[in-house]
Amino acid sequence: MENNLLKKSVSDYVNSLEKVLEKRKQWREFTLPLLLKTLTEIQVNFDIGWKVQQLDWLMNNSAINITFNTFPASLIDKLNVSDEFEFIKGAALVFSQKYNGDIAVFIVYPADLEPITEGDINEIGSFNPNEINENFITNKVAYFLDKIIIQEENVLRRKVGF
């Protein structure tokens, strides 16, 4: 059986799998360590109550995120003992490798004690692991903070009380 169309399709398929393997290798050997290093440096240098988490819950799914965990220590002294301030933790900037090897970058907004909806997730984009460098990461963290500021201001408008 000699079928040039089939040979080309088989070759294209094998090439696509090789590209996926190369992107997964790039993630494992370069991108993930760079994300961990850069996000940890940001966490340490800008102490606003966030922490870095590395997640590896499935064989084909690995992620790293920076998430708000506590109220910023620098502001705790400014709270009056009688002030009650509801800090909603859980907002996160997530970098997660997809099955095809690309890196999905998205923001997860904190749920207001309701199930997570599509509006609680903002997909920034999908990127080749080779596109991710320290500047890329820093820019995505700044974008994340801009979006969280907007979200915090909107929460304040929706909530009743002071």
Side-chain angles (χ1 to χ4, degrees):
M1 173 186 223
E2 186 79 22
N3 187 328
N4 289 334
L5 179 60
L6 184 56
K7 282 182 180 179
K8 182 183 179 330
S9 295
V10 168
S11 177
D12 290 347
Y13 173 70
V14 170
N15 287 338
S16 72
L17 290 178
E18 287 175 350
K19 288 177 185 176
V20 169
L21 290 175
E22 184 58 38
K23 287 192 270 185
R24 293 180 83 55
K25 180 181 177 186
Q26 175 72 14
W27 165 261
R28 188 176 56 255
E29 293 179 1
F30 176 74
T31 309
L32 184 64
L34 177 66
L35 281 163
L36 186 59
K37 175 186 169 289
T38 305
L39 292 175
T40 300
E41 286 174 359
I42 290 169
Q43 173 193 338
V44 169
N45 291 326
F46 302 94
D47 185 16
I48 56 174
W50 48 17
K51 70 177 181 177
V52 175
Q53 299 175 318
Q54 185 173 346
L55 310 168
D56 193 7
W57 59 92
L58 297 172
M59 184 171 61
N60 286 323
N61 198 338
S62 176
I64 188 161
N65 69 35
I66 189 162
T67 182
F68 290 108
N69 188 49
T70 62
F71 193 70
S74 62
L75 295 179
I76 289 177
D77 292 340
K78 294 182 179 184
L79 283 176
N80 187 325
V81 176
S82 65
D83 287 340
E84 290 186 26
F85 180 78
E86 181 182 355
F87 172 70
I88 303 172
K89 62 183 181 178
L93 174 64
V94 182
F95 298 83
S96 180
Q97 187 168 52
K98 299 162 106 177
Y99 177 80
N100 72 353
D102 287 340
I103 310 306
V105 181
F106 55 94
I107 297 170
V108 178
Y109 295 99
D112 295 335
L113 303 175
E114 296 178 16
I116 293 177
T117 64
E118 193 173 311
D120 295 329
I121 298 174
N122 176 2
E123 186 170 342
I124 296 170
S126 188
F127 306 91
N128 186 301
N130 293 325
E131 295 178 68
I132 298 175
N133 56 38
E134 190 172 308
N135 189 49
F136 176 95
I137 298 165
T138 303
N139 287 340
K140 295 303 177 240
V141 172
Y143 178 81
F144 166 63
L145 288 171
D146 290 343
K147 292 297 184 181
I148 293 304
I149 290 166
I150 292 167
Q151 191 263 348
E152 286 286 335
E153 290 173 353
N154 287 333
V155 166
L156 291 176
R157 285 188 200 125
R158 290 190 318 249
K159 288 217 175 256
V160 175
F162 54 90

